[in-house]
Amino acid sequence: MSLITEAALRAMLKKETLSTLKIQKGDIITPSARQFLREKGIDLITDDSSTSAAQCEKNKAPTVKENHYKGFEPMETGIKPKFISYYDGGFYEVKPEYMTHLRGNQLVFKDDPRILFRGKIDSIEALVLEIQYKFLESKPALQSDLKELLDVFRNLLRAEVLDEPIKIEKVIGLTDVEIREHSHYPKKYYDVEHFLPEVSLGMEIVELNRLRTSIRELELCAMSTFKNGNDISRKDIIQLLNRLSSVAYILMCRIRGQYYK
């Protein structure tokens, strides 16, 4: 069994011109080498098939959806690759522009659900910073709560990237149970009835409502990312995001109830 790399193919083409490349059954050819062959218009033929490389990949390559929740097992070749495809264990010598890091040297497509999820967290962090900046000179206590919320999202992103569990004891001074209580009964805690956002309520309410809806969208994205059939692999993330959208609503109630002096 041989390992055929892009570098080896380039060296071969310097010595001879090829229209086809015949390999033995069981030989391993790296994804970057396959791409190189396609670019050069060279057909790949095995010792027992005349199927082109493109057709082989179509028949054998598993889809992203099929592999999204499967464990990763690299091929046993005795060679330590620089980059590894998460989906099929293929080797890359150079990271393709259409792929990015999942964890360590594992690569996934840039539209992989987990990468999209991380991107949405990044967008929410940017939104929190924008809101902080707009109200930089007002309500120091609100600034403190927003900074705490920003730190929670940063810890959430870190936990997902490192595949670690996340447990936040308190957010804006409230436990998980207290967040549910305060968001369900704002009259009791802030002397404010449940309300729908209106322009007349001011820019702070409008901006915080935008944050609330963005967190809701992130929660839906998390469901799509971590749900496989009836199984949810990151229930801790789903629960935290549900609470964080409630936190955004509580901030709105605190503003209307003159909680921030």
Side-chain angles (χ1 to χ4, degrees), residues 130-142:
E130 180 183 333
I131 295 172
Q132 281 185 289
Y133 182 79
K134 285 182 177 179
F135 307 114
L136 198 59
E137 303 301 326
S138 65
K139 301 181 177 63
L142 173 60

Side-chain angles (χ1 to χ4, degrees), residues 143-210:
Q143 286 289 333
S144 178
D145 283 349
L146 288 171
K147 175 60 169 64
E148 185 176 347
L149 193 57
L150 178 63
D151 289 339
V152 170
F153 279 111
R154 287 173 173 170
N155 288 330
L156 172 60
L157 179 58
R158 180 181 184 277
E160 195 285 317
V161 170
L162 297 179
D163 198 24
E164 296 177 346
I166 183 167
K167 175 66 177 178
I168 306 295
E169 296 299 330
K170 288 187 176 183
V171 183
I172 63 170
L174 303 176
T175 65
D176 183 273
V177 174
E178 290 170 338
I179 288 172
R180 288 178 58 88
E181 181 76 9
H182 282 226
S183 63
H184 286 154
Y185 305 103
K187 179 68 175 178
K188 176 179 177 181
Y189 295 97
Y190 307 109
D191 196 27
V192 173
E193 299 287 354
H194 284 293
F195 64 95
L196 293 175
E198 300 285 351
V199 172
S200 60
L201 298 179
M203 183 58 71
E204 290 172 331
I205 295 294
V206 171
E207 290 291 344
L208 289 173
N209 184 61
R210 181 157 66 106

Side-chain angles (χ1 to χ4, degrees), residues 10-257:
R10 289 183 180 276
M12 185 184 303
L13 287 179
K14 288 181 180 180
K15 300 177 181 179
E16 57 182 311
T17 301
L18 298 175
S19 59
T20 60
L21 176 68
K22 187 174 182 179
I23 63 174
Q24 299 298 312
K25 186 176 181 180
D27 285 351
I28 296 173
I29 181 165
T30 67
S32 59
R34 289 181 181 274
Q35 179 64 28
F36 179 74
L37 290 174
R38 284 195 292 269
E39 292 173 355
K40 297 297 183 181
I42 301 173
D43 288 331
L44 181 65
I45 301 174
T46 61
D47 62 351
D48 61 351
S49 173
S50 59
T51 306
S52 67
Q55 187 63 39
C56 286
E57 289 181 358
K58 180 179 179 181
N59 293 337
K60 296 181 179 180
T63 64
V64 174
K65 191 67 175 179
E66 290 170 341
N67 285 272
H68 185 66
Y69 297 95
K70 293 183 179 179
F72 172 78
E73 295 183 3
M75 287 185 262
E76 298 292 338
T77 64
I79 299 175
K80 185 177 181 180
K82 188 172 183 181
F83 302 107
I84 304 174
S85 168
Y86 176 85
Y87 307 117
D88 59 12
F91 300 160
Y92 290 90
E93 297 168 357
V94 178
K95 184 176 76 65
E97 291 297 325
Y98 54 84
M99 302 190 83
T100 189
H101 294 272
L102 177 65
R103 294 182 185 91
N105 68 341
Q106 297 178 25
L107 299 181
V108 293
F109 297 127
K110 287 186 176 180
D111 65 348
D112 186 276
R114 288 153 296 190
I115 303 304
L116 295 178
F117 175 71
R118 294 174 188 178
K120 284 188 175 292
I121 295 179
D122 196 26
S123 295
I124 286 185
E125 290 178 11
L127 177 57
V128 175
L129 285 170
E130 180 183 333
I131 295 172
Q132 281 185 289
Y133 182 79
K134 285 182 177 179
F135 307 114
L136 198 59
E137 303 301 326
S138 65
K139 301 181 177 63
L142 173 60
Q143 286 289 333
S144 178
D145 283 349
L146 288 171
K147 175 60 169 64
E148 185 176 347
L149 193 57
L150 178 63
D151 289 339
V152 170
F153 279 111
R154 287 173 173 170
N155 288 330
L156 172 60
L157 179 58
R158 180 181 184 277
E160 195 285 317
V161 170
L162 297 179
D163 198 24
E164 296 177 346
I166 183 167
K167 175 66 177 178
I168 306 295
E169 296 299 330
K170 288 187 176 183
V171 183
I172 63 170
L174 303 176
T175 65
D176 183 273
V177 174
E178 290 170 338
I179 288 172
R180 288 178 58 88
E181 181 76 9
H182 282 226
S183 63
H184 286 154
Y185 305 103
K187 179 68 175 178
K188 176 179 177 181
Y189 295 97
Y190 307 109
D191 196 27
V192 173
E193 299 287 354
H194 284 293
F195 64 95
L196 293 175
E198 300 285 351
V199 172
S200 60
L201 298 179
M203 183 58 71
E204 290 172 331
I205 295 294
V206 171
E207 290 291 344
L208 289 173
N209 184 61
R210 181 157 66 106
L211 175 60
R212 181 189 64 82
T213 59
S214 295
I215 298 173
R216 283 294 191 190
E217 291 174 359
L218 179 61
E219 183 181 358
L220 294 177
C221 179
M223 286 295 297
S224 177
T225 301
F226 302 116
K227 184 180 72 171
N228 184 24
N230 293 324
D231 179 61
I232 298 176
S233 60
R234 292 304 303 261
K235 294 179 181 178
D236 55 335
I237 289 179
I238 303 297
Q239 179 174 333
L240 177 59
L241 289 174
N242 183 268
R243 297 298 181 270
L244 291 180
S245 63
S246 296
V247 166
Y249 179 64
I250 290 172
L251 295 181
M252 295 165 63
C253 292
R254 286 182 173 184
I255 288 176
R256 289 212 65 194

